[in-house]
Amino acid sequence: MKLLTACAIIGALAVNAPAFAQQQLSIATGGTGGAYYPIGGGLAELVTENLEGYSAVAEVTGASVENMALVHQGAADFAIALGDTVAQAYTGTGAFDGRQVDILSLGALYPNAVQIVVPADSDIQGLSDLVGKRVSVGAPGSGTELNAQAILDANGITYEDLAAAQRLNFNETADALRDGDIDAGIWSVGPPTSSIMSLAVAREIRLIPLSEEEVAAAKDVEPIFADYVLPANSYEGVDTETPTVGIPNALVVSASMDEELAYQVTKLLHEQVDYLRAIHPAANDTTIEFALGATPIPLHPGAIRYYEEAGADIPENARP
């Protein structure tokens, strides 16, 4: 699949979306160094093996922002995306100002954690120390960049305050840190993530904690942010907890998706979630309770049908 350029991602939302494919299904994920791609790949395998008449494939993309455009265009049937990006697309605000996307959720999947990584011998000790440094803020069209910019802006730091704001994907960020080409990298991803794990083997690293005041400032700017503490030993050599912010990820579809298909995929997701947990530990948080409590936008009627059959209480704000 031909991916959108950074300049075309938001503009693509002005294009009318064709009907989604009925047989070959596409799941828009992210880069191979994060959690979206392995989890999306696992879901694609479940669909292919269990839903008669359908096959599915996980697509490598620029992640959250691009994924909303792909769903809007009909180039993807399902998309994994950060909750703040999803909410902005649904309401036509923020990065999607005036370009509302007709989407609904099958539920929240798991939380991302914003992870600011530096070499172990770096003089960067806190968020304010990023001023004057070379920082990777995430790939163009990614939720990572939206999260990074929100946290920096909320705490009085602009891209102009950095020596360079580089828009690198997860693997590129890890390589640049390893080689000394940047001073810090920002990830918004379900921990632990393979790109940071590989980096920690190649070079000693530290994670930069956010103070209570910095977290509070970020939550004032983006209410979907939540307190999050990355456990000690999530990565080799990082033996302390790291306070930061968390953001729910959601599985998103076009509002026009067939109700039976949405129902069957939601049912498959939860009834075979152990398959996904064996692929990536982020799926340990994929529960019905989290799906309903953290969904950033209303649920598709097919998803509601499954959750009601499962005996769950549907929050009013999760109904279309």
Side-chain angles (χ1 to χ4, degrees):
M1 181 178 66
K2 183 179 180 181
L3 302 183
L4 301 175
T5 64
C7 294
I9 288 169
I10 301 301
L13 298 176
V15 180
N16 289 329
F20 67 93
Q22 290 291 327
Q23 299 299 320
Q24 177 70 52
L25 302 175
S26 170
I27 303 173
T29 63
T32 57
Y36 284 9
Y37 184 71
I39 288 177
L43 181 60
E45 291 171 1
L46 287 175
V47 169
T48 300
E49 294 171 5
N50 293 278
L51 294 190
E52 184 177 355
Y54 291 101
S55 62
V57 62
E59 304 283 0
V60 175
T61 73
S64 297
V65 177
E66 181 177 341
N67 290 354
M68 296 300 91
L70 293 171
V71 170
H72 178 82
Q73 288 183 307
D77 303 287
F78 303 86
I80 304 174
L82 277 168
D84 53 347
T85 303
V86 171
Q88 289 177 15
Y90 179 77
T91 57
T93 58
F96 298 85
D97 187 23
R99 297 180 177 88
Q100 189 172 10
V101 185
D102 194 17
I103 51 174
L104 291 170
S105 171
L106 299 188
L109 289 175
Y110 63 89
N112 268 17
V114 172
Q115 299 161 70
I116 305 173
V117 182
V118 300
D121 58 359
S122 170
D123 61 355
I124 298 171
Q125 300 297 325
L127 190 68
S128 62
D129 294 330
L130 296 179
V131 172
K133 303 296 186 180
R134 302 165 298 169
V135 182
S136 173
V137 296
S142 68
T144 289
E145 185 178 12
L146 289 183
N147 292 167
Q149 191 163 26
I151 291 169
L152 293 172
D153 287 349
N155 288 283
I157 303 171
T158 68
Y159 283 179
E160 288 71 29
D161 295 323
L162 307 176
Q166 298 194 26
R167 293 174 172 85
L168 307 176
N169 66 31
F170 292 153
N171 287 330
E172 291 168 341
T173 299
D175 289 346
L177 275 172
R178 180 197 64 206
D179 297 339
D181 295 331
I182 59 174
D183 302 304
I186 301 177
W187 277 255
S188 182
V189 64
T193 187
S194 61
S195 49
I196 301 179
M197 292 172 70
S198 298
L199 171 63
V201 172
R203 181 171 185 176
E204 292 184 2
I205 64 169
R206 286 188 291 107
L207 272 72
I208 300 302
L210 298 181
S211 69
E212 290 183 9
E213 294 76 17
E214 289 165 344
V215 170
K219 289 164 64 176
D220 284 343
V221 168
E222 183 49 73
I224 203 167
F225 286 162
D227 295 75
Y228 189 96
V229 177
L230 189 71
N233 301 309
S234 294
Y235 302 107
E236 184 172 329
V238 182
D239 58 3
T240 58
E241 293 182 338
T242 306
T244 183
V245 297
I247 313 98
N249 292 287
L251 183 60
V252 175
V253 299
S254 168
S256 64
M257 174 171 277
D258 176 71
E259 181 177 326
E260 180 65 19
L261 178 58
Y263 165 81
Q264 291 292 345
V265 172
T266 307
K267 178 182 174 74
L268 193 61
L269 170 68
H270 289 286
E271 294 190 353
Q272 304 229 21
V273 68
D274 285 344
Y275 184 81
L276 299 181
R277 290 172 179 163
I279 293 172
H280 198 287
N284 289 330
D285 289 314
T286 303
T287 64
I288 289 177
E289 293 74 20
F290 185 78
L292 297 177
T295 182
I297 62 172
L299 297 166
H300 191 286
I304 290 176
R305 179 177 145 206
Y306 167 74
Y307 292 126
E308 287 179 337
E309 286 184 3
D313 293 327
I314 311 297
E316 281 307 311
N317 65 355
R319 295 184 181 274

